[in-house]
Amino acid sequence: MNRNHLSVRGLLWAVPFLLMAGCSSPAAGNSDKPPASSQPADSASGGQNQPQNQPQTQPSQTQTPAPPQSESAQKPEAVHMGKVTAVRLADPQKGWTGGNGWIARTDDGGKHWTAQYQGAGLVNQLFALNDREAWATLADKAESKGPFRLIRTEDGGHSWKDAGSVPNAGFLHFVSKTEAYSANAKTTDGGKTWTKLAVPEQLVGDAYFRDGGIGWAVTQSKNEIQVQHTADGGQSWQPVLKRSTAVPATGAQIRSAGKDDAWVELIGDSGMSQTSYSLLHTSDGGKAWLTVIANSTAGAGPAPGIPADQAKGKTNNGSKPGPLYVVSPSVAFMGGDCPACDKPNTLGWTKDGGKTWVNGKEELTGYGPALLAMADAEHGWWLTTDNEQPSVMYTTSDGGKSWTKAYTFDKPEQGM
């Protein structure tokens, strides 16, 4: 049990939620998906980096210089695969993981791995259009906000080459070989140069842009949270959701699985190793919204975007949010984290667009950030991390109902 004292706000909320604060009870990553012509493959990139964007009034062109060219890939005899910091799958059997100075690939669902790249830098994100074309961002340190070195492969990882850089720590997603987005930055030349897109004032978290000029953003006024939408690449924004809120949003994460689809995670206050949060969803361009999750907690207070006198939404297990992974307008998975529990990692999902929420029964060890990647509604990878124990990968083929340990990242693997 956590030994920290309740805050004043926590005391006000403790009575109705004391029973929810226990480890075994509910207390409370793009789509993360490439174009329809490619295999589904998305992750929360190993963490929830949520840098605050500065308000912009007009789009501007910025030239981000590419780093010096280096060897496309070092091919060591053996690579020690330590803590995993990023994951991306191309299909249920094929995909990549990366860590501090390495990238490895599996072609049999994680049972065996081939080390493909070894070099300086911490792998911050991985993204794949298919099992041949993938990208990785490399950071100097774990808390870096960018810019990041960008490398890519066109041959399934046999070789990795410098591709330019990424200017920020937003969610990187390519929609073609040359067009990609990261927060409010866009490239049309594969990462060599980036254009900064305009975002609304009072922005919370990162804006999310996709092809066709579509974008979503969360803004916060004194007592109201708004979700705003653009159809012209940020030149103009319109509010499509206004919610009175008992507490302000301290962060936001947005993912999309289609032109009219948006999943918006709102982060609230934190206290007693707990964080309140909510998850909202629209599938019609913002005309109608569902409150998918509303996790209020004893130590952190009410979920953001939920009026104080209402209790809409379902709850996700855990006392803090874990990774969010959107598969389609109907299917999304989200982890739960309980730092005070012996097995902190849990997972829940919806397969009807948020009308219902299912909390899985699996509980996994690991006190570091969990990583999640789903190929479709039934097949996916779930990785746990820890500063003292090896990272472990689990797989599911029944939509998250059961998970099988596939690999423990604690030994060197042969290079290609």
Side-chain angles (χ1 to χ4, degrees), residues 3-17:
R3 294 180 175 86
N4 293 338
H5 294 292
L6 285 168
S7 65
V8 173
R9 174 174 287 163
L11 287 171
L12 295 177
W13 280 84
V15 174
F17 294 104

PDB file of all heavy atoms in Angstrom, residues 3-17:
ATOM      1  N   ARG A   3       2.167   4.763   1.092  1.00  0.00           N
ATOM      2  CA  ARG A   3       2.196   5.374   2.411  1.00  0.00           C
ATOM      3  C   ARG A   3       2.075   6.894   2.356  1.00  0.00           C
ATOM      4  O   ARG A   3       2.147   7.558   3.373  1.00  0.00           O
ATOM      5  CB  ARG A   3       3.488   4.988   3.129  1.00  0.00           C
ATOM      6  CG  ARG A   3       3.559   3.495   3.433  1.00  0.00           C
ATOM      7  CD  ARG A   3       4.857   3.176   4.147  1.00  0.00           C
ATOM      8  NE  ARG A   3       4.909   1.796   4.552  1.00  0.00           N
ATOM      9  CZ  ARG A   3       5.322   0.811   3.793  1.00  0.00           C
ATOM     10  NH1 ARG A   3       5.687   1.049   2.557  1.00  0.00           N
ATOM     11  NH2 ARG A   3       5.362  -0.426   4.234  1.00  0.00           N
ATOM     12  N   ASN A   4       1.932   7.467   1.169  1.00  0.00           N
ATOM     13  CA  ASN A   4       1.821   8.923   1.070  1.00  0.00           C
ATOM     14  C   ASN A   4       0.489   9.394   1.622  1.00  0.00           C
ATOM     15  O   ASN A   4      -0.522   8.703   1.564  1.00  0.00           O
ATOM     16  CB  ASN A   4       1.927   9.379  -0.385  1.00  0.00           C
ATOM     17  CG  ASN A   4       3.312   9.133  -0.925  1.00  0.00           C
ATOM     18  OD1 ASN A   4       4.249   9.027  -0.142  1.00  0.00           O
ATOM     19  ND2 ASN A   4       3.436   9.041  -2.240  1.00  0.00           N
ATOM     20  N   HIS A   5       0.472  10.627   2.184  1.00  0.00           N
ATOM     21  CA  HIS A   5      -0.767  11.178   2.702  1.00  0.00           C
ATOM     22  C   HIS A   5      -1.626  11.707   1.575  1.00  0.00           C
ATOM     23  O   HIS A   5      -1.153  12.110   0.524  1.00  0.00           O
ATOM     24  CB  HIS A   5      -0.450  12.311   3.682  1.00  0.00           C
ATOM     25  CG  HIS A   5       0.243  11.835   4.926  1.00  0.00           C
ATOM     26  ND1 HIS A   5      -0.370  11.058   5.875  1.00  0.00           N
ATOM     27  CD2 HIS A   5       1.523  12.023   5.340  1.00  0.00           C
ATOM     28  CE1 HIS A   5       0.494  10.799   6.845  1.00  0.00           C
ATOM     29  NE2 HIS A   5       1.643  11.367   6.538  1.00  0.00           N
ATOM     30  N   LEU A   6      -2.932  11.742   1.802  1.00  0.00           N
ATOM     31  CA  LEU A   6      -3.871  12.296   0.827  1.00  0.00           C
ATOM     32  C   LEU A   6      -3.686  13.795   0.740  1.00  0.00           C
ATOM     33  O   LEU A   6      -3.438  14.468   1.734  1.00  0.00           O
ATOM     34  CB  LEU A   6      -5.312  12.001   1.241  1.00  0.00           C
ATOM     35  CG  LEU A   6      -5.822  10.575   1.037  1.00  0.00           C
ATOM     36  CD1 LEU A   6      -7.131  10.412   1.771  1.00  0.00           C
ATOM     37  CD2 LEU A   6      -5.999  10.261  -0.420  1.00  0.00           C
ATOM     38  N   SER A   7      -3.798  14.341  -0.515  1.00  0.00           N
ATOM     39  CA  SER A   7      -3.836  15.782  -0.692  1.00  0.00           C
ATOM     40  C   SER A   7      -5.201  16.295  -0.293  1.00  0.00           C
ATOM     41  O   SER A   7      -6.129  15.535  -0.043  1.00  0.00           O
ATOM     42  CB  SER A   7      -3.565  16.123  -2.159  1.00  0.00           C
ATOM     43  OG  SER A   7      -4.601  15.618  -2.950  1.00  0.00           O
ATOM     44  N   VAL A   8      -5.366  17.628  -0.231  1.00  0.00           N
ATOM     45  CA  VAL A   8      -6.668  18.193   0.121  1.00  0.00           C
ATOM     46  C   VAL A   8      -7.714  17.743  -0.869  1.00  0.00           C
ATOM     47  O   VAL A   8      -8.812  17.326  -0.514  1.00  0.00           O
ATOM     48  CB  VAL A   8      -6.566  19.740   0.152  1.00  0.00           C
ATOM     49  CG1 VAL A   8      -7.955  20.353   0.345  1.00  0.00           C
ATOM     50  CG2 VAL A   8      -5.633  20.187   1.241  1.00  0.00           C
ATOM     51  N   ARG A   9      -7.378  17.852  -2.184  1.00  0.00           N
ATOM     52  CA  ARG A   9      -8.343  17.383  -3.172  1.00  0.00           C
ATOM     53  C   ARG A   9      -8.594  15.896  -3.026  1.00  0.00           C
ATOM     54  O   ARG A   9      -9.705  15.416  -3.183  1.00  0.00           O
ATOM     55  CB  ARG A   9      -7.816  17.684  -4.589  1.00  0.00           C
ATOM     56  CG  ARG A   9      -8.696  17.097  -5.697  1.00  0.00           C
ATOM     57  CD  ARG A   9      -8.236  17.542  -7.063  1.00  0.00           C
ATOM     58  NE  ARG A   9      -8.575  18.942  -7.252  1.00  0.00           N
ATOM     59  CZ  ARG A   9      -8.049  19.699  -8.179  1.00  0.00           C
ATOM     60  NH1 ARG A   9      -7.159  19.205  -8.995  1.00  0.00           N
ATOM     61  NH2 ARG A   9      -8.398  20.967  -8.301  1.00  0.00           N
ATOM     62  N   GLY A  10      -7.502  15.121  -2.720  1.00  0.00           N
ATOM     63  CA  GLY A  10      -7.670  13.688  -2.560  1.00  0.00           C
ATOM     64  C   GLY A  10      -8.614  13.363  -1.436  1.00  0.00           C
ATOM     65  O   GLY A  10      -9.402  12.427  -1.501  1.00  0.00           O
ATOM     66  N   LEU A  11      -8.554  14.131  -0.289  1.00  0.00           N
ATOM     67  CA  LEU A  11      -9.447  13.879   0.828  1.00  0.00           C
ATOM     68  C   LEU A  11     -10.896  14.065   0.431  1.00  0.00           C
ATOM     69  O   LEU A  11     -11.783  13.314   0.846  1.00  0.00           O
ATOM     70  CB  LEU A  11      -9.089  14.819   1.993  1.00  0.00           C
ATOM     71  CG  LEU A  11      -7.788  14.473   2.747  1.00  0.00           C
ATOM     72  CD1 LEU A  11      -7.441  15.587   3.708  1.00  0.00           C
ATOM     73  CD2 LEU A  11      -7.943  13.160   3.480  1.00  0.00           C
ATOM     74  N   LEU A  12     -11.138  15.075  -0.392  1.00  0.00           N
ATOM     75  CA  LEU A  12     -12.523  15.333  -0.808  1.00  0.00           C
ATOM     76  C   LEU A  12     -13.071  14.192  -1.649  1.00  0.00           C
ATOM     77  O   LEU A  12     -14.277  13.934  -1.666  1.00  0.00           O
ATOM     78  CB  LEU A  12     -12.580  16.643  -1.610  1.00  0.00           C
ATOM     79  CG  LEU A  12     -12.212  17.912  -0.811  1.00  0.00           C
ATOM     80  CD1 LEU A  12     -12.226  19.108  -1.731  1.00  0.00           C
ATOM     81  CD2 LEU A  12     -13.187  18.118   0.349  1.00  0.00           C
ATOM     82  N   TRP A  13     -12.177  13.512  -2.366  1.00  0.00           N
ATOM     83  CA  TRP A  13     -12.627  12.438  -3.256  1.00  0.00           C
ATOM     84  C   TRP A  13     -12.387  11.046  -2.676  1.00  0.00           C
ATOM     85  O   TRP A  13     -12.760  10.055  -3.268  1.00  0.00           O
ATOM     86  CB  TRP A  13     -11.905  12.555  -4.608  1.00  0.00           C
ATOM     87  CG  TRP A  13     -12.542  13.596  -5.455  1.00  0.00           C
ATOM     88  CD1 TRP A  13     -12.316  14.926  -5.435  1.00  0.00           C
ATOM     89  CD2 TRP A  13     -13.554  13.376  -6.430  1.00  0.00           C
ATOM     90  NE1 TRP A  13     -13.108  15.544  -6.328  1.00  0.00           N
ATOM     91  CE2 TRP A  13     -13.884  14.633  -6.967  1.00  0.00           C
ATOM     92  CE3 TRP A  13     -14.226  12.236  -6.905  1.00  0.00           C
ATOM     93  CZ2 TRP A  13     -14.846  14.780  -7.943  1.00  0.00           C
ATOM     94  CZ3 TRP A  13     -15.176  12.388  -7.887  1.00  0.00           C
ATOM     95  CH2 TRP A  13     -15.492  13.663  -8.388  1.00  0.00           C
ATOM     96  N   ALA A  14     -11.721  10.987  -1.527  1.00  0.00           N
ATOM     97  CA  ALA A  14     -11.311   9.682  -1.013  1.00  0.00           C
ATOM     98  C   ALA A  14     -12.484   8.809  -0.620  1.00  0.00           C
ATOM     99  O   ALA A  14     -12.484   7.604  -0.837  1.00  0.00           O
ATOM    100  CB  ALA A  14     -10.389   9.873   0.192  1.00  0.00           C
ATOM    101  N   VAL A  15     -13.514   9.390  -0.010  1.00  0.00           N
ATOM    102  CA  VAL A  15     -14.602   8.576   0.528  1.00  0.00           C
ATOM    103  C   VAL A  15     -15.250   7.717  -0.537  1.00  0.00           C
ATOM    104  O   VAL A  15     -15.369   6.508  -0.392  1.00  0.00           O
ATOM    105  CB  VAL A  15     -15.642   9.478   1.232  1.00  0.00           C
ATOM    106  CG1 VAL A  15     -16.852   8.656   1.664  1.00  0.00           C
ATOM    107  CG2 VAL A  15     -15.009  10.155   2.423  1.00  0.00           C
ATOM    108  N   PRO A  16     -15.680   8.321  -1.728  1.00  0.00           N
ATOM    109  CA  PRO A  16     -16.344   7.468  -2.700  1.00  0.00           C
ATOM    110  C   PRO A  16     -15.418   6.549  -3.448  1.00  0.00           C
ATOM    111  O   PRO A  16     -15.877   5.691  -4.171  1.00  0.00           O
ATOM    112  CB  PRO A  16     -16.996   8.484  -3.663  1.00  0.00           C
ATOM    113  CG  PRO A  16     -16.182   9.712  -3.521  1.00  0.00           C
ATOM    114  CD  PRO A  16     -15.722   9.742  -2.101  1.00  0.00           C
ATOM    115  N   PHE A  17     -14.098   6.721  -3.314  1.00  0.00           N
ATOM    116  CA  PHE A  17     -13.210   5.922  -4.137  1.00  0.00           C
ATOM    117  C   PHE A  17     -12.225   5.077  -3.342  1.00  0.00           C
ATOM    118  O   PHE A  17     -11.325   4.493  -3.902  1.00  0.00           O
ATOM    119  CB  PHE A  17     -12.416   6.825  -5.093  1.00  0.00           C
ATOM    120  CG  PHE A  17     -13.289   7.493  -6.100  1.00  0.00           C
ATOM    121  CD1 PHE A  17     -13.617   8.825  -5.964  1.00  0.00           C
ATOM    122  CD2 PHE A  17     -13.792   6.770  -7.165  1.00  0.00           C
ATOM    123  CE1 PHE A  17     -14.421   9.427  -6.881  1.00  0.00           C
ATOM    124  CE2 PHE A  17     -14.591   7.375  -8.096  1.00  0.00           C
ATOM    125  CZ  PHE A  17     -14.917   8.698  -7.952  1.00  0.00           C
TER     126      PHE A  17
END
